[in-house]
Amino acid sequence: MEINFKKLTECKIEDIIKAWNRGFEGYYIKIEMTPDTFFHRMVNEGLSMNLSFVAFHGEEPVAILVNGIRTLNGKKMAWNGGTGVAPEYRGKGVSRLLMEEVLKIYEKEGIEVATLEAIKENERAIRLYKRFGYEIVDSLVLLNGTREFATKLDTSIQVKAIRPEQLSQKPFYHENVPWQCQWQSVKAGESQIYYDSENNILGYCLYRRIWSKEGKVEKVIIYQLELFCEIHREIMDMILFSISGEVGNQVEFMTINSSLSNPAIQYLQANGFQKTTEQVQMVKRMN
């Protein structure tokens, strides 16, 4: 079977969307895209149209792989932001061809570290990535929970709101986190730093609020929540209240690709937040 590849910049939009939606048909989570949502994601998460590609069998778009590249800790890093193969082409070697093609791109671009995430239950994909030199380095979870605060919380904890770009310059900021949790991927994001009464740093949060048509915060997506202190109900309630800013209104909170080893995430999971998805983070060190 002959498979040809085209950069997204060389493809018709209908072929790109067909390749994506067929590629993720029957996937563990529903991620069907429209042209608007697809390009919104490409822009928001810093993915590259020129370094992403569609696989064709003749004129038929049968698979897709999207990539992003940025420099972290002085190293050029690539992220595989989605690899999908149409159902009737699975198990026929197309995934292997996609990986061979993307590694050629990484080598040409001088990539030093390649990363991706895979759903924990997707054993076939994980085996494929391992075959191409990727190793599991962490377990990541998506958590969901709701909170409603009847009154404004009275606390001695101080909150300083700063731009995510400023947060990245702080010495305590964690740069080496999954791609979608890095400040560069959080367009329209916000961040806060927390201090105690003696001005000691307690931690920080990188997040994005989603508003209802009535002007109320209905959802907060947490990309990073790092605490450098003992975690207890007062500080966690204060943080959730502070990032939502809502009184008397139930707000949904969702964490994205948070490490299971993070004490703040462990606390949330032990106190009412439910795990919706678990992924493995995988890394390949390029020679």
Side-chain angles (χ1 to χ4, degrees):
M1 179 171 56
E2 185 177 350
I3 297 292
N4 299 304
F5 301 101
K6 289 184 182 180
K7 298 176 182 179
L8 296 195
T9 52
E10 302 169 335
C11 296
K12 299 176 182 178
I13 178 58
E14 54 264 33
D15 286 340
I16 295 173
I17 301 306
K18 184 176 183 179
W20 180 275
N21 288 337
R22 294 299 325 282
F24 288 96
E25 190 174 307
Y27 195 56
Y28 295 88
I29 54 176
K30 187 175 181 180
I31 47 177
E32 187 174 345
M33 297 277 190
T34 65
D36 285 346
T37 56
F38 181 85
F39 287 113
H40 181 77
R41 180 179 182 238
M42 293 291 289
V43 171
N44 274 9
E45 295 185 358
L47 296 167
S48 171
M49 294 286 291
N50 198 47
L51 300 176
S52 304
F53 55 89
V54 170
F56 288 83
H57 181 212
E59 297 297 316
E60 183 69 14
V62 300
I64 191 170
L65 194 153
V66 297
N67 282 306
I69 292 177
R70 62 175 58 133
T71 300
L72 287 181
N73 298 318
K75 292 186 176 181
K76 202 169 184 182
M77 181 187 106
W79 179 56
N80 177 340
T83 299
V85 179
E88 63 270 29
Y89 286 86
R90 294 170 190 168
K92 297 183 178 180
V94 176
S95 295
R96 174 180 55 81
L97 295 175
L98 291 172
M99 293 306 298
E100 290 173 352
E101 182 69 15
V102 77
L103 291 179
K104 289 177 187 176
I105 293 173
Y106 292 169
E107 184 176 358
K108 182 179 178 181
E109 294 294 321
I111 299 302
E112 296 172 82
V113 180
T115 71
L116 56 83
E117 295 89 44
I119 299 291
K120 182 182 178 181
E121 293 82 8
N122 196 351
E123 295 177 357
R124 175 183 288 185
I126 292 170
R127 285 196 302 269
L128 173 72
Y129 298 138
K130 284 182 175 179
R131 200 177 309 141
F132 281 90
Y134 284 81
E135 298 178 349
I136 295 174
V137 297
D138 203 358
S139 293
L140 311 171
V141 290
L142 280 74
L143 301 180
N144 274 94
T146 58
R147 289 288 189 275
E148 182 176 348
F149 299 97
T151 60
K152 185 176 180 180
L153 297 186
D154 186 19
T155 176
S156 61
I157 296 169
Q158 303 174 57
V159 179
K160 180 180 180 181
I162 64 172
R163 289 294 305 153
E165 296 88 340
Q166 296 173 303
L167 179 64
S168 69
Q169 302 303 310
K170 302 296 183 181
F172 50 79
Y173 172 75
H174 289 190
E175 187 175 51
N176 189 26
V177 295
W179 181 279
Q180 292 168 301
C181 300
Q182 297 165 14
W183 70 265
Q184 299 96 319
S185 297
V186 188
K187 299 293 190 293
E190 303 174 73
S191 60
Q192 295 179 346
I193 304 175
Y194 310 107
Y195 301 86
D196 65 16
S197 58
E198 297 179 354
N199 216 36
N200 298 308
I201 293 176
L202 299 175
Y204 70 89
C205 187
L206 174 63
Y207 63 97
R208 181 168 64 89
R209 292 185 287 179
I210 297 175
W211 303 77
S212 70
K213 293 178 181 179
E214 293 74 32
K216 294 183 177 294
V217 175
E218 58 183 10
K219 187 173 186 177
V220 181
I221 302 174
I222 299 172
Y223 296 91
Q224 288 192 48
L225 176 56
E226 299 290 342
L227 297 178
F228 316 124
C229 60
E230 180 184 353
I231 301 173
H232 48 77
R233 185 178 181 86
E234 179 191 2
I235 188 169
M236 190 60 73
D237 280 354
M238 185 282 304
I239 290 172
L240 295 179
F241 172 73
S242 182
I243 63 179
S244 70
E246 290 287 324
V247 174
N249 181 45
Q250 190 173 80
V251 177
E252 178 186 355
F253 295 89
M254 180 172 70
T255 72
I256 296 289
N257 284 347
S258 301
S259 174
L260 268 174
S261 63
N262 183 338
I265 298 305
Q266 294 173 358
Y267 179 92
L268 290 174
Q269 195 168 6
N271 288 272
F273 276 54
Q274 301 297 313
K275 180 176 70 174
T276 57
T277 307
E278 185 171 343
Q279 299 197 101
V280 292
Q281 183 182 20
M282 305 187 75
V283 171
K284 175 181 172 65
R285 310 290 174 183
M286 304 290 290
N287 296 327

